Amino acid sequence: MKVYKGRGVVLHTLKYGDSSMIVYLLTDVGGRRSYMVQGVRSRTGRGSKLALFQPAFPVEFEGLESTRMEMHRFKEVRAGFPLRNVPFDVRKSTIALFMAEVLYRLVRESEPNEALFGFVWNSVGALDAMTDGVADFHLWFLANLSRYLGFCPGNDYEAGAWFDIHEGLYTPIRPTHTGCMTQECTRILGEMVGRDVRELGSMGLNRMQRVEFLNAMLVYFGYHLDAVASVQSVRILREVF
């Protein structure tokens, strides 16, 4: 049996039997992986571990891998770093749920992706720590996640441009097809991509701008990845923000 160390971000959990669960993680050691956790729901088991497996929570662990086991298991698991705000702030916990579900639906690779993992791990820490711009964080996350999924804008934004979703390019002339963002959504995309998350407080977006840009980003992601259509937490985001 192989023992290894790793870090992960919780994407999803499924109840398994009366007292066990399957935990899906985005890991630094093997991309997306599933782990069987036994006894987590029993009164006599290690029930305290249940709190670790909430959407987008960071964990550090020692994993067990064997050809005799269908899934990986944990030898030890603990919090990767303390979350001081996400569990207690409805806005941040809603965004964490959205982040986790988007990643669960869209990321399927079981190979290490250091850049993607680093972005997600650091994004969780940034969300927990931020005080200004929380309402725009999910938009920033989507815009910058596209860089790690392979379909970020292929050129630089210039004032007055349109974003051609099909070509993945900013263009000064509105495309004849319907697969393009409005000039306002294009401007927001141009400002979001590559923006330091600590500067989100200066974006100054209103509710209507957030709704329209989120819808535009879902169309953009959906053009490349059909699975985004099944993200259920979008409805909650729209209610909160």
Side-chain angles (χ1 to χ4, degrees):
M1 184 174 294
K2 178 184 176 182
V3 180
Y4 60 93
K5 293 184 178 181
R7 295 180 297 158
V9 174
V10 178
L11 305 184
H12 187 62
T13 60
L14 286 175
K15 183 179 178 181
Y16 187 84
D18 293 332
S19 62
S20 300
M21 68 193 311
I22 299 170
V23 178
Y24 295 88
L25 299 180
L26 179 66
T27 72
D28 60 345
V29 291
R32 173 173 158 157
R33 283 187 174 177
S34 55
Y35 290 80
M36 175 65 71
V37 185
Q38 294 178 308
V40 73
R41 295 178 180 276
S42 68
R43 293 181 179 179
T44 58
R46 302 169 68 181
S48 61
K49 295 297 183 185
L50 187 62
L52 291 173
F53 302 124
Q54 303 304 310
F57 274 34
V59 295
E60 293 181 345
F61 59 88
E62 288 186 36
L64 298 172
E65 180 181 11
S66 170
T67 56
R68 294 177 297 175
M69 299 187 303
E70 293 184 4
M71 276 185 249
H72 295 253
R73 298 174 188 262
F74 295 119
K75 181 179 180 183
E76 296 289 342
V77 60
R78 56 190 174 275
F81 53 84
L83 292 176
R84 306 186 186 283
N85 297 296
V86 167
F88 313 107
D89 184 321
V90 67
R91 299 178 306 161
K92 292 185 177 183
S93 60
T94 299
I95 292 173
L97 175 64
F98 174 72
M99 291 168 58
E101 188 181 2
V102 165
L103 293 165
Y104 174 70
R105 302 290 183 191
L106 303 188
V107 178
R108 298 290 179 175
E109 294 77 11
S110 57
E111 297 295 329
N113 185 330
E114 182 179 345
L116 172 62
F117 179 80
F119 169 70
V120 173
W121 182 269
N122 292 332
S123 293
V124 174
L127 174 63
D128 190 63
M130 73 188 310
T131 55
D132 297 322
V134 174
D136 298 329
F137 187 90
H138 60 295
L139 306 176
W140 173 89
F141 179 78
L142 276 185
N144 287 280
L145 179 61
S146 69
R147 300 164 62 193
Y148 301 93
L149 298 182
F151 54 89
C152 66
N155 59 344
D156 294 330
Y157 170 76
E158 294 185 6
W162 306 78
F163 184 65
D164 187 327
I165 289 173
H166 295 180
E167 298 296 329
L169 297 170
Y170 300 110
T171 174
I173 301 173
R174 181 174 184 172
T176 55
H177 56 76
T178 58
C180 71
M181 291 189 186
T182 65
Q183 287 176 302
E184 176 67 1
C185 286
T186 300
R187 178 188 67 80
I188 297 171
L189 177 61
E191 292 188 16
M192 285 285 187
V193 174
R195 190 183 190 92
D196 190 316
V197 68
R198 293 168 296 185
E199 298 175 355
L200 277 181
S202 63
M203 287 291 293
L205 301 183
N206 59 39
R207 184 180 181 86
M208 182 174 293
Q209 287 173 313
R210 290 190 192 100
V211 170
E212 291 181 353
F213 183 64
L214 175 59
N215 291 341
M217 287 302 295
L218 292 175
V219 171
Y220 179 31
F221 270 63
Y223 180 76
H224 295 278
L225 301 165
D226 292 340
V228 77
S230 59
V231 175
Q232 300 297 312
S233 52
V234 170
R235 177 183 57 81
I236 305 173
L237 270 183
R238 288 172 175 151
E239 293 176 359
V240 174
F241 301 105

